[in-house]
């Protein structure tokens, strides 16, 4: 399973890179806006740090605008994946972008049928938003499981990118289902690393070792 970092924050990206845990990065307009400043320079900095796929999202709501923006974003780096919203105009844009050889991530996926449509139109990734589905009691991971089954039934190679991750269980369940990627906020990466029994186990090993050294 690949781990992408769901952030536009450069220090978080650098830190996760140092850990060797970043296979890619996903951003969205909210995440870029949160960092402030010039979004284009921010995106360029991210592209300098990360070799893997970096998702940058269009903000137009019509296919023509999305296609224009997608071509512009694609020109920023060979590892750019263009995020397209799962709306009717987005689907129109997908068809054209596929012809241009521009990689796409269809975002704001909330049902397996939306994921099927995106795959039929050649999306490279689909992003089911599991945390936001859980928040309305709709079982986010259930749709990931259904998308996996549908893609396997028909041999689609569109990658399932679990998005809107809120906790380690989302990553665990995604891995068990066989999702290709989870895009994870930095705080959840830290939660994945830590376990209280690891901390207390290490503390007791080191205390015993120190006592042994002092006795000797
Ligand atoms: O970047 C896409 C997605 O992961 C955002 O999720 O729900 O945390 O805004 P959310």
């Amino acid at each position: 399973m690949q781990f992408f970092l769901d952030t536009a924050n450069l220090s978080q990206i650098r830190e996760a890179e140092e850990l060797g845990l970043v296979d890619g990065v996903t951003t969205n307009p909210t995440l870029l806006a949160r960092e402030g400043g010039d979004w284009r320079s921010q995106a360029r900095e991210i592209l300098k740090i990360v070799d893997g796929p970096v998702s940058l999202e269009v903000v137009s709501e019509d296919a023509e605008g999305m296609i224009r923006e997608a071509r512009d974003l694609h020109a920023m780096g060979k590892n750019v994946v263009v995020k397209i919203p799962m709306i009717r105009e987005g689907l129109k844009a997908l068809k054209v972008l596929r012809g241009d050889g521009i990689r796409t991530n269809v975002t704001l996926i909330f049902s397996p049928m939306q994921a099927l449509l995106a795959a039929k139109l050649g999306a490279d990734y689909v992003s089911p938003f599991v945390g936001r589905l859980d928040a309305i009691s709709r079982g986010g991971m259930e749709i990931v499981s259904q998308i996996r089954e549908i893609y396997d039934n028909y041999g689609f190679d569109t990658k399932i990118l679990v998005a809107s991750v809120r906790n380690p269980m989302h990553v665990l369940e995604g891995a068990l289902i066989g999702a290709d990627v989870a895009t994870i906020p930095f705080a959840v990466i830290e939660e994945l690393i830590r376990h209280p029994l690891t901390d207390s186990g290490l503390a007791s090993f080191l205390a015993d070792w120190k006592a042994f050294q002092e006795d000797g």
Side-chain angles (χ1 to χ4, degrees):
M1 181 187 225
Q2 289 197 310
F3 280 7
F4 290 179
L5 199 60
D6 198 23
T7 187
N9 182 278
L10 297 181
S11 1
Q12 290 182 351
I13 295 171
R14 285 198 190 99
E15 208 172 323
E17 264 286 332
E18 261 179 49
L19 282 169
L21 281 175
V22 182
D23 299 306
V25 162
T26 52
T27 69
N28 60 39
T30 302
L31 293 172
L32 276 165
R34 193 175 289 162
E35 298 308 312
D38 171 35
W39 72 266
R40 200 179 276 277
S41 328
Q42 189 75 11
R44 282 212 187 90
E45 287 304 311
I46 297 171
L47 290 164
K48 271 190 215 158
I49 304 169
V50 181
D51 289 331
V54 174
S55 285
L56 300 173
E57 187 162 342
V58 298
V59 290
S60 298
E61 291 176 82
D62 62 298
E64 205 181 305
M66 287 183 201
I67 293 163
R68 195 169 46 246
E69 276 187 70
R71 287 175 178 154
D72 175 48
L73 294 171
H74 174 70
M76 289 177 75
K78 59 177 181 353
N79 51 338
V80 169
V81 175
V82 179
K83 257 183 167 177
I84 302 286
M86 178 62 219
I87 56 176
R88 183 191 288 252
E89 290 295 303
L91 295 181
K92 281 193 215 162
L94 266 191
K95 211 174 143 192
V96 176
L97 296 176
R98 189 187 184 189
D100 283 3
I102 294 176
R103 285 191 295 165
T104 53
N105 172 359
V106 178
T107 189
L108 291 162
I109 295 275
F110 291 95
S111 81
M113 286 299 97
Q114 290 180 318
L116 174 57
L117 299 183
K120 280 173 75 67
L121 291 169
D124 293 277
Y125 297 88
V126 286
S127 292
F129 275 32
V130 298
R132 294 193 195 190
L133 278 165
D134 284 354
I136 57 158
S137 307
R138 294 298 289 273
M141 295 314 300
E142 175 62 20
I143 80 151
V144 174
S145 174
Q146 289 172 340
I147 297 168
R148 179 76 283 154
E149 191 174 338
I150 292 167
Y151 284 7
D152 290 348
N153 283 349
Y154 296 101
F156 286 117
D157 55 13
T158 300
K159 290 186 166 51
I160 304 171
L161 194 166
V162 180
S164 188
V165 163
R166 297 282 182 265
N167 54 57
M169 286 304 289
H170 283 148
V171 184
L172 167 64
E173 287 175 38
L176 290 171
I177 290 166
D180 303 280
V181 190
T183 189
I184 311 173
F186 189 76
V188 177
I189 299 258
E190 287 183 317
E191 286 182 60
L192 289 173
I193 296 170
R194 296 193 62 156
H195 194 289
L197 290 178
T198 305
D199 295 342
S200 60
L202 181 61
S204 95
F205 283 156
L206 295 180
D208 290 346
W209 189 251
K210 192 167 172 243
F212 168 62
Q213 296 299 302
E214 283 166 1
D215 286 351

